[in-house]
Amino acid sequence: MNAQHPHVSEHDEGRPWFEWCVAGLVVVATALAAMGEPMVATAIVSVTSIGSGAVRLIYRERSPWKVRSVAFDAACGIGFGVVLALLYFAIRFIH
């Protein structure tokens, strides 16, 4: 049996302060949505997502936001933010 502890990559990835900032913005957006401000809530989540993707793309390996590879994180963050904003506006134009 191997007595060495396996390497856990999550220990070296991400920074708690950045993750708590993102979580705080999601809580604020949730509260705003519950108070009847869906446009502001959607904008906060969208900008937060695009911002975290841009941070990962700009800072690369020094980024405080890491999940997988730089390309994956940037594409998911920026893509989610853009698609969320487009979806919100598409729904607004339908009504």
Side-chain angles (χ1 to χ4, degrees):
M1 207 158 140
N2 190 353
Q4 293 181 348
H5 189 279
H7 176 71
V8 178
S9 65
E10 288 83 5
H11 177 72
D12 299 327
E13 307 222 356
R15 300 287 178 262
W17 65 266
F18 190 85
E19 294 167 2
W20 281 109
C21 289
V22 170
L25 287 168
V26 170
V27 168
V28 168
T30 302
L32 286 168
M35 293 186 321
E37 296 292 337
M39 182 172 170
V40 178
T42 303
I44 289 172
V45 173
S46 182
V47 169
T48 301
S49 182
I50 293 169
S52 67
V55 163
R56 181 69 166 124
L57 189 61
I58 293 166
Y59 288 106
R60 307 195 65 79
E61 294 306 317
R62 298 176 307 155
S63 172
W65 184 260
K66 296 179 185 178
V67 178
R68 297 281 180 196
S69 68
V70 173
F72 178 83
D73 293 347
C76 286
I78 295 169
F80 176 74
V82 169
V83 168
L84 181 64
L86 291 174
L87 181 61
Y88 177 79
F89 288 118
I91 292 170
R92 293 281 297 192
F93 287 131
I94 289 173
H95 287 85

